[in-house]
Amino acid sequence: FVGQYLNKAQAEILPTFIASLRNLRRLSIVVGRFSDVGRTMIMKDKDKSLTFPELQSLAIAYPDPSDDIFSMTTPNLTNLFLRDWPRHYHSLGDYTPFGDYYQAPLLSSTECLSILKRLNSSRLLNLEVVYIADQAGCDDDLLEYIVHAFPRLEHLQLHRYRTDRREIVDYVSS
């Protein structure tokens, strides 16, 4: 799914639809949202027996960190994209893709880390994370976890936004 929600009802029906697709290999939900939609929730109060054993690629714009899809068994997951759409940097200037009602509920570095820790996949080859850092150094745990938890990574894409846009980011690994 690519585009934008027209109303909250579209976002609310998504979990029911996704749960009916048992043999998913790729799932991509990159949908812009208006202020009343909130974050993307795919699995809400999931059936504990529901799994996506064939899922290889998962892309979600503005994921909800409490989404049960991140706790499911996905042994073949090699591509994970926790992203924004449209890109958050578009809204930092004068251009707003969907007008004044557009919302970009970015994950914090702590929320990103909680999602990655719940994943049952050390087979990731490609990872994209988009998050906002409250202050310098608050994302050290996230970055260290990525390095150690996903030894097979071949491609890593980080989009790190700052709460204070004047903050100088000089990241040196210790």
Side-chain angles (χ1 to χ4, degrees), residues 1 37 43 63 86 132 141 164 166:
F1 299 101
V37 173
M43 292 287 123
I132 189 160
D141 291 344
D164 178 2
R166 293 170 297 188

Side-chain angles (χ1 to χ4, degrees), residues 41-142:
M41 177 69 78
I42 297 174
M43 292 287 123
K44 195 184 303 185
D45 303 319
K46 80 167 179 83
D47 173 356
K48 300 298 181 194
S49 66
L50 183 63
T51 63
F52 291 117
E54 303 301 320
L55 190 64
Q56 298 170 356
S57 181
L58 178 61
I60 306 174
Y62 307 113
D64 188 314
S66 65
D67 195 325
D68 285 332
I69 197 163
F70 301 116
S71 298
M72 298 180 74
T73 302
T74 53
N76 293 310
L77 189 67
T78 56
N79 303 293
L80 178 65
F81 308 96
L82 306 174
R83 55 166 306 180
D84 54 347
W85 191 90
R87 289 295 187 193
H88 178 63
Y89 50 73
H90 289 306
S91 65
L92 297 177
D94 293 332
Y95 171 71
T96 305
F98 300 136
D100 294 335
Y101 301 105
Y102 169 73
Q103 182 189 28
L106 294 174
L107 293 170
S108 68
S109 58
T110 304
E111 290 171 325
C112 257
L113 180 59
S114 74
I115 288 173
L116 295 177
K117 283 185 173 183
R118 288 172 45 213
L119 278 178
N120 190 4
S121 181
S122 61
R123 299 182 63 190
L124 282 182
L125 299 175
N126 299 298
L127 176 63
E128 175 185 350
V129 291
V130 176
Y131 65 96
I132 189 160
D134 293 330
Q135 59 188 5
C138 73
D139 54 348
D140 289 351
D141 291 344
L142 170 65

